[in-house]
Amino acid sequence: MKPPAITRGMVQTALGSIFYLMSDGRTLSGESNAAEKPPILCFHMSPRSSDEYLEVLPLLALGGDTDGRVAIAFDIPGYGASENPHQSCTIDEISDAFLSAADSILSDDNKNSRTYVTIGSLMGNFFCVSLASRYPERIKGGVLTNPWFNPDALNPSSGTDATDFADSSSNAIEDSYVLKDDGSHLVALHNKRSGWLDPELNFRVVASEISYLVNRRKRYANGIGIQGGNEYDFKTPVQKIVEIRGESTADNGGNFLCIIGEACTSMFDRFGLDGTKRFDEACNMLLGNDSTSNKIVRVERLKGDKSTLNVVNQMPEEFVAVCNNFLSECGL
C-alpha cells in the first residue's frame, strides 16, 4: 500500500504558533475501524525539528496492517518553523501546548477526551513522560528513543540551554554560539556530524540546527529561555508512570517501549556522556519492579552502523517495524 502524503500546518497555542507535519492513513482503509487507533504524536530531539520524522511519519500512519491512523510531528516552540515562545517555558508547559495543538488539529466531538500514543527522541522523550505522568487517561502508550537523561537535573550548576527558564526575567541571556567573520561557525556545524551522516541528511540536520540557533539568539536577547534536558527532572514523572501502571484496575496508560541504538550508546560513551549507563538507568527506571502489571513495557535494541542518535532518519523501516509491533501487541 502506498504511504499517505504529508501535510503541513500551523496551530495557535498558549506559547505561540506551533508548526506540524501530519500524515493521515485513515483514508487508505476507510473510516469504519481506522478511527479506533489513537493518533501518534512525535517529538524531536534538540536541535532538530519535525524533519526528524519525515521518513517515518507516512509509515507510522499506515498502521502496520489494514487500518491506518493519524501521525503528527511537531516543531518544539523555538525550533524549526515554530514561533519562539512568548515567555520562558518548561517541558510541562510545552507538553501541554502539544496536547492542545493535537486536539485543535483533530478537532471533533472527541476533543479533550481523545487518546494518543507518543514517540520521542532524546529531548523529545521528556514530552512523552511529562504527558504520560500527568494525563494517563489520554496517553495510552509511548515510545522513547535513546532515553538519555541527566541524573543531576535541576542542579543550578548544570544548566545549558535555559538556566533562567523558571522565571520570565527580562534580562538577556548570554548565547554561547559565536558568529565568525569567515563563516567557520557554519563549517563547524557541518563537521559536527559528518562522521556518521551522509551529506544529504547532514544538510537537513544542519538546516534544523541553524533555525534553532537563529531563534535562540532572538529569544535570549529578550531573556526568554526554554527548559532543556539538563534542567528536566526525568526521574519524578517516570516514577509516577510506574505508580500509575500498578493501578491495574484503572483504564490508564503505562505501555512503554524503549528503543536504543547501539551505535548511539557507543557514541555517547566516546563523548564522555556515559551512554551505556544512562540509557540503561532510564530504561530500568521505566520498567519498574512490578511484574504483575498487565501493561507492556520493554526495551528493543537496534544494531548496525546506522543505529546512531539519528536512528529515526537512518533506519526508518526498522524503527517503524519495532514501533508497530509494540503498538499491535498493546492493542493500540
Side-chain angles (χ1 to χ4, degrees), residues 26 29-39 67-70 108 110 114-115:
R26 295 175 298 177
S29 55
E31 296 292 337
S32 57
N33 296 323
E36 297 177 2
K37 284 189 173 181
D67 293 336
R69 69 167 89 228
V70 174
D108 53 24
N110 295 321
R114 181 185 285 277
T115 60

Side-chain angles (χ1 to χ4, degrees), residues 72 165 214 278 286 300 310:
I72 304 172
F165 70 87
V214 170
R278 294 194 183 180
L286 194 60
E300 295 282 352
N310 301 102

Side-chain angles (χ1 to χ4, degrees), residues 7-30:
T7 59
R8 294 161 170 79
M10 298 285 286
V11 60
Q12 188 65 33
T13 73
L15 297 179
S17 295
I18 288 180
F19 176 83
Y20 65 90
L21 301 176
M22 182 172 74
S23 192
D24 189 346
R26 295 175 298 177
T27 57
L28 301 180
S29 55

Side-chain angles (χ1 to χ4, degrees), residues 85-90 93 161-174 216-226:
H86 306 315
Q87 61 197 36
S88 294
C89 52
T90 65
E93 290 170 333
D161 181 37
T163 55
D164 296 342
F165 70 87
D167 57 28
S168 299
S169 170
S170 60
N171 297 327
I173 303 172
E174 183 179 357
R216 189 179 76 176
R217 196 172 187 83
K218 294 177 181 177
R219 67 173 179 270
Y220 273 16
N222 293 312
I224 297 174
I226 296 174

Side-chain angles (χ1 to χ4, degrees), residues 148-149 151 265 269 273-282 284:
W148 183 92
F149 80 108
T265 302
D269 286 340
L273 297 175
D274 297 329
T276 299
K277 179 181 179 181
R278 294 194 183 180
F279 286 152
D280 287 346
E281 285 180 347
N284 290 334

Side-chain angles (χ1 to χ4, degrees), residues 161-282:
D161 181 37
T163 55
D164 296 342
F165 70 87
D167 57 28
S168 299
S169 170
S170 60
N171 297 327
I173 303 172
E174 183 179 357
D175 194 336
S176 60
Y177 188 65
V178 179
L179 306 182
K180 298 181 179 180
D181 291 340
D182 62 359
S184 58
H185 57 290
L186 298 175
V187 176
L189 294 179
H190 167 82
N191 292 340
K192 187 189 297 188
R193 305 173 186 85
S194 60
W196 70 87
L197 296 182
D198 64 71
E200 182 68 29
L201 180 55
N202 195 19
F203 185 52
R204 289 165 52 191
V205 173
V206 170
S208 292
E209 185 164 12
I210 290 174
S211 178
Y212 163 75
L213 291 170
V214 170
N215 285 334
R216 189 179 76 176
R217 196 172 187 83
K218 294 177 181 177
R219 67 173 179 270
Y220 273 16
N222 293 312
I224 297 174
I226 296 174
Q227 184 178 22
N230 281 334
E231 297 92 25
Y232 183 66
D233 177 16
F234 177 83
K235 187 174 182 179
T236 298
V238 169
Q239 289 176 333
K240 180 63 176 177
I241 291 170
V242 173
E243 291 175 10
I244 292 170
R245 195 164 63 227
E247 302 169 2
S248 57
T249 58
D251 181 21
N252 52 35
N255 300 291
F256 267 90
L257 167 68
C258 294
I259 299 179
I260 297 178
E262 293 195 347
C264 181
T265 302
S266 300
M267 184 184 302
F268 274 47
D269 286 340
R270 291 197 305 272
F271 292 165
L273 297 175
D274 297 329
T276 299
K277 179 181 179 181
R278 294 194 183 180
F279 286 152
D280 287 346
E281 285 180 347

